[in-house]
Amino acid sequence: MNRDCNFYICATCFNVSETPITCHDQSMIHCRSLQPGDPRLKPLFDHEGDLKTSAPRWFIESLKQQQQI
Ligand SMILES: [Zn+2]
C-alpha cells in the first residue's frame, strides 16, 4: 500500500493535482507527506493562543515561500 501523500494544491481554489501545474496564474503548492503528529499539520495560533487561520502550517509556509519569489 502506498501511503505517500504527494500532491499539489492551488492556494486560490484548492484544486489538487498529482503533477505541478499552473492554476489561477500561479504554480501549485507542493504537499509532501508529513508524519502524523507533525506540528506543521496543525493550524497557526498567535502568541495569545487565538486561532489565526484554520489552514495547516505547511500550507501557510508554502504560501509565504511562493510569495517571496
Ligand atoms: Zn486554482
Side-chain angles (χ1 to χ4, degrees), residues 10-15 23-24 26 28:
C10 173
T12 304
C13 68
F14 304 113
N15 187 22
C23 189
H24 286 88
Q26 56 188 350
M28 294 173 115

Side-chain angles (χ1 to χ4, degrees), residues 1-51:
M1 188 169 82
N2 181 12
R3 299 184 61 186
D4 265 5
C5 134
N6 202 358
F7 61 94
Y8 298 83
I9 185 167
C10 173
T12 304
C13 68
F14 304 113
N15 187 22
V16 291
S17 170
E18 289 184 351
T19 54
I21 60 172
T22 300
C23 189
H24 286 88
D25 288 331
Q26 56 188 350
S27 34
M28 294 173 115
I29 291 171
H30 186 196
C31 174
R32 297 164 220 77
S33 44
L34 296 172
Q35 294 299 313
D38 190 301
R40 285 170 292 172
L41 291 171
K42 294 178 180 161
L44 272 179
F45 292 89
D46 65 17
H47 57 278
E48 290 173 350
D50 291 326
L51 188 66

